[in-house]
Amino acid sequence: MITFAELRSAAYCPRQCYYDRTSGDREPPTGIERVRELAFRYEASLAADHLTLAEAPIEVDPAVYQARLARVRRTVSRWNELCEPDGRDVLATGRECRGVIHKVLADPPAPSIVSTGRPPERGVWEPQSIHAVAAAKALARERATSVDHAYVEYPAHGVVRRVELTTRRKARYRRTLRTVREIDGPPPRTSDRSKCDACEYAPKCGVRTRTLRSLLGRG
């Protein structure tokens, strides 16, 4: 059965998904659990003094961080459930894929995916959109009910985005699912080489990534 992680990596780059499959077990990035833990400490972070908050693994100024969380509290209707979800790290199995849902909201059921990266200016990144749809479908099957939305959280930045399960998102999910199923060797390299700069498989893949010097316009 296809995993959420495979879908996410294939949505970013099918070749990355191939290398994930063939590279065996890998250690998660250092500090990833500390960042995810922020998603369960929103109320405490809002009440914390700036010196204490500065010691947390946040990526913005403490005042900006608290202002963003305050805005989420005002604008996201399920704030209380996001702070105290019905389930945490729930393994869910759908018809096509399975994986761990970081938070499960109860009524109505909705999954929330916790990302350790930065958010885009609007919406969510494509791999996280695919991941959210997969999690929603798996949760719907587990709970035997429909699930029409999900959340993606960026706790290091104090941002939470609601993801509606639109027809377009579901279609992208199905395309990505087909891509994963069809991988039986190294897929073609991506034409978007900016993705290669952040990919750990770039040397194995045989692409030349830009150095920090060139990224700063000095190369």
Side-chain angles (χ1 to χ4, degrees):
M1 181 167 283
I2 293 168
T3 67
F4 294 167
E6 287 177 305
L7 282 173
R8 193 172 59 248
S9 64
Y12 185 80
C13 172
R15 199 171 175 95
Q16 185 185 80
C17 181
Y18 168 78
Y19 285 127
D20 278 345
R21 281 182 168 181
T22 57
S23 294
D25 294 334
R26 295 175 299 141
E27 291 294 323
T30 303
I32 192 170
E33 290 304 324
R34 283 192 71 217
V35 176
R36 284 185 177 157
E37 190 62 30
L38 289 171
F40 299 89
R41 293 182 49 81
Y42 289 147
E43 290 286 5
S45 294
L46 276 169
D49 62 78
H50 289 183
L51 287 178
T52 299
L53 196 53
E55 295 177 357
I58 62 174
E59 296 293 334
V60 295
D61 181 83
V64 173
Y65 189 77
Q66 289 180 325
R68 287 180 177 180
L69 285 183
R71 183 178 185 278
V72 173
R73 184 169 59 181
R74 291 194 309 271
T75 59
V76 175
S77 62
R78 306 189 73 175
W79 165 263
N80 290 335
E81 293 173 87
L82 288 169
C83 291
E84 296 185 13
D86 183 63
R88 175 174 178 174
D89 294 335
V90 176
L91 179 63
T93 302
R95 287 187 174 86
E96 301 101 353
C97 56
R98 72 197 300 256
V100 172
I101 301 175
H102 299 125
K103 296 181 184 179
V104 172
L105 282 56
D107 189 20
S112 188
I113 305 305
V114 178
S115 169
T116 57
R118 65 178 178 85
E121 289 296 321
R122 294 185 179 181
V124 301
W125 301 112
E126 182 74 0
Q128 290 154 4
S129 174
I130 302 299
H131 186 172
V133 173
K137 284 181 169 290
L139 183 61
R141 190 167 189 264
E142 292 272 353
R143 299 295 174 92
T145 188
S146 62
V147 176
D148 62 10
H149 70 280
Y151 293 91
V152 176
E153 304 177 45
Y154 302 89
H157 294 261
V159 173
V160 177
R161 302 267 165 83
R162 177 171 167 136
V163 177
E164 302 294 337
L165 267 66
T166 62
T167 300
R168 179 176 294 182
R169 280 201 172 96
K170 291 176 183 178
R172 289 173 177 167
Y173 160 80
R174 288 192 294 271
R175 285 200 302 271
T176 306
L177 196 63
R178 286 196 299 269
T179 296
V180 175
R181 286 171 172 163
E182 291 169 1
I183 293 176
D184 59 1
R189 295 183 181 92
T190 179
S191 58
D192 183 359
R193 291 302 169 85
S194 65
K195 293 181 176 181
C196 303
D197 295 322
C199 181
E200 64 182 290
Y201 300 119
K204 181 186 293 188
C205 192
V207 299
R208 293 181 61 188
T209 59
R210 293 174 293 173
T211 63
L212 178 60
R213 185 179 181 85
S214 66
L215 287 170
L216 294 173
R218 299 173 184 171

